[in-house]
Amino acid sequence: MQPKLLSLIVPVYYEEEVLPESYRRMDAVMRSIGIPYEIIYVNDGSRDGTMKILRELAKAHPEVKVYSFSRNFGHQLAVTCGMDHAKGDALIIIDVDLQDPPELIPEMVKLWQNGADIVYGKRLKRKGETLFKKLTASIYYRVLSSMSAYPIPLDTGDFRLIDRKVADVFLKMRESARFLRGMSAWMGFEAVPIEYVREERAAGHTKYTLKKMLSLAADGILNFSSTPIELPLYFGILLGIVGVLGMIAMIVCTAVFGSACPQWLWLAVGFSLLLAVLFCFVGIQGFYLGRMYDELKDRPLYIVAETLNAEE
Ligand code: UDP
Ligand code: MG
């Protein structure tokens, strides 16, 4: 079946310098595919000339749709707004700054037409980013994927194409701390990587401040890993073992050496056993909290990817 519409979702935050060139390149690529398309810009509270440019674009091109936030809600929510309003059979999420080459989109569309539900960009190399950013990103992706209960692909950002059925699941997930890559990994579906070199920003500077990056990093770990809340329990168990071993050592020591054995060590044994009990209870509370958090997220209980001889 020939797809009827493709939706390109582009979050924008103080991007007047790059926006005109970005539109030109993205529009040329979308036009070359030969499937009708819409370009959805979400202005995430920019107060520079961004809106002026978007107004002109929307006026001149009916396929350009613009949603403008009342303030800065952050990149992940800007993308979410785009997904909420996209009408396409496939949605493509891309940064405005041309770091993710729009020229890859036709190939992504081809992979999608060949059956992939998700086509995600995997960065082979990152150009023009500070060593600090490259290093922290690389370490973070690895820590996250080792902690996450669902496999989050390494070195992958939000540049991706998703099928309509994947987008529909996103619409059902209304958790407010959003880490889209993790949500995508949680959902499953057939995900195919497409490798690329992440380019330098075409103009302007990064809008992801250290604070925003840390907050996104925290969302990734807190939303997709229960390791942090399980730690106190494990620590408590470890401390308990140490306490019990200490107690045995003290009993043996006292039996062999009598009062020559330093009796004050009993204090250390008692102390670690007491702390062990305390840590275990804190850990157990963590498990309850984690469950409450999961319930609050109110995610779909399951996701059907395909049905045969059956109603959807
Ligand atoms: N962005 C946004 N809201 C923000 C920060 C960034 O919508 O609060 C947009 C930005 O305009 C760009 C994309 O998110 O299209 C990625 O941001 P940026 O390129 O600054 O991040 P980096 O590539 O440096 O991680
Ligand atoms: Mg960028």
Side-chain angles (χ1 to χ4, degrees):
M1 194 186 72
Q2 177 69 9
K4 287 193 207 58
L5 186 73
L6 297 175
S7 303
L8 191 66
I9 298 171
V10 194
V12 239
Y13 184 52
Y14 284 89
E15 302 282 12
E16 60 183 5
E17 287 159 278
V18 78
L19 194 47
E21 167 66 10
S22 172
Y23 169 75
R24 241 189 321 276
R25 258 176 73 185
M26 289 185 189
D27 186 65
V29 167
M30 294 309 287
R31 194 168 297 272
S32 74
I33 298 173
I35 300 171
Y37 61 93
E38 58 178 358
I39 303 184
I40 303 180
Y41 287 105
V42 182
N43 170 30
D44 187 12
S46 323
R47 296 269 179 266
D48 61 347
T50 296
M51 260 326 270
K52 185 168 170 280
I53 301 170
L54 288 179
R55 271 197 192 94
E56 282 161 12
L57 286 177
K59 206 166 153 198
H61 311 283
E63 65 278 10
V64 169
K65 318 264 161 76
V66 178
Y67 294 86
S68 185
F69 283 175
S70 58
R71 65 165 169 84
N72 181 239
F73 281 88
H75 169 243
Q76 301 282 300
L77 291 177
V79 172
T80 301
C81 169
M83 287 187 189
D84 285 347
H85 296 95
K87 305 261 187 317
D89 301 315
L91 281 54
I92 301 134
I93 298 145
I94 190 167
D95 289 353
V96 72
D97 60 6
L98 301 171
Q99 281 196 280
D100 312 318
E103 289 70 24
L104 281 179
I105 296 173
E107 204 184 323
M108 296 169 110
V109 171
K110 218 171 273 159
L111 288 167
W112 167 64
Q113 287 182 306
N114 287 338
D117 297 315
I118 300 172
V119 184
Y120 62 92
K122 187 169 163 57
R123 300 159 181 173
L124 287 179
K125 226 163 110 183
R126 304 163 72 114
K127 284 196 200 161
E129 288 180 306
T130 60
L131 190 67
F132 174 76
K133 177 140 187 174
K134 284 186 203 172
L135 197 71
T136 48
S138 168
I139 295 173
Y140 175 71
Y141 285 134
R142 277 149 189 86
V143 169
L144 178 66
S145 89
S146 69
M147 277 167 81
S148 166
Y150 311 95
I152 299 179
L154 294 175
D155 305 317
T156 299
D158 290 321
F159 178 39
R160 62 187 58 220
L161 176 152
I162 61 175
D163 182 77
R164 164 55 43 198
K165 64 178 178 248
V166 180
D168 285 342
V169 180
F170 266 111
L171 298 192
K172 285 192 198 137
M173 295 170 79
R174 299 318 287 180
E175 58 213 64
S176 58
R178 298 174 83 77
F179 186 68
L180 300 172
R181 281 156 245 188
M183 290 160 72
S184 181
W186 177 84
M187 282 178 207
F189 288 110
E190 194 172 326
V192 175
I194 178 167
E195 293 181 333
Y196 72 108
V197 175
R198 188 157 158 95
E199 294 296 330
E200 246 175 271
R201 230 179 196 279
H205 57 86
T206 178
K207 307 302 177 309
Y208 253 97
T209 55
L210 186 64
K211 198 172 147 210
K212 280 188 176 160
M213 232 160 70
L214 287 177
S215 141
L216 182 70
D219 283 345
I221 290 183
L222 296 177
N223 282 17
F224 291 94
S225 166
S226 48
T227 311
I229 46 165
E230 291 171 358
L231 280 180
L233 181 64
Y234 302 142
F235 187 65
I237 292 172
L238 197 75
L239 212 59
I241 294 172
V242 170
V244 169
L245 288 180
M247 194 163 73
I248 294 169
M250 281 308 288
I251 291 171
V252 174
C253 180
T254 314
V256 178
F257 300 109
S259 58
C261 193
Q263 292 303 304
W264 60 269
L265 274 175
W266 278 113
L267 219 63
V269 168
F271 206 61
S272 43
L273 285 176
L274 203 68
L275 273 180
V277 173
L278 213 65
F279 269 105
C280 283
F281 277 112
V282 170
I284 290 166
Q285 282 190 8
F287 278 87
Y288 280 98
L289 270 178
R291 279 168 180 245
M292 271 151 87
Y293 187 42
D294 279 344
E295 295 291 339
L296 274 177
K297 277 189 275 197
D298 201 22
R299 288 185 185 162
L301 297 183
Y302 54 82
I303 303 160
V304 177
E306 197 181 343
T307 50
L308 299 171
N309 289 344
E311 303 264 317
E312 277 244 338

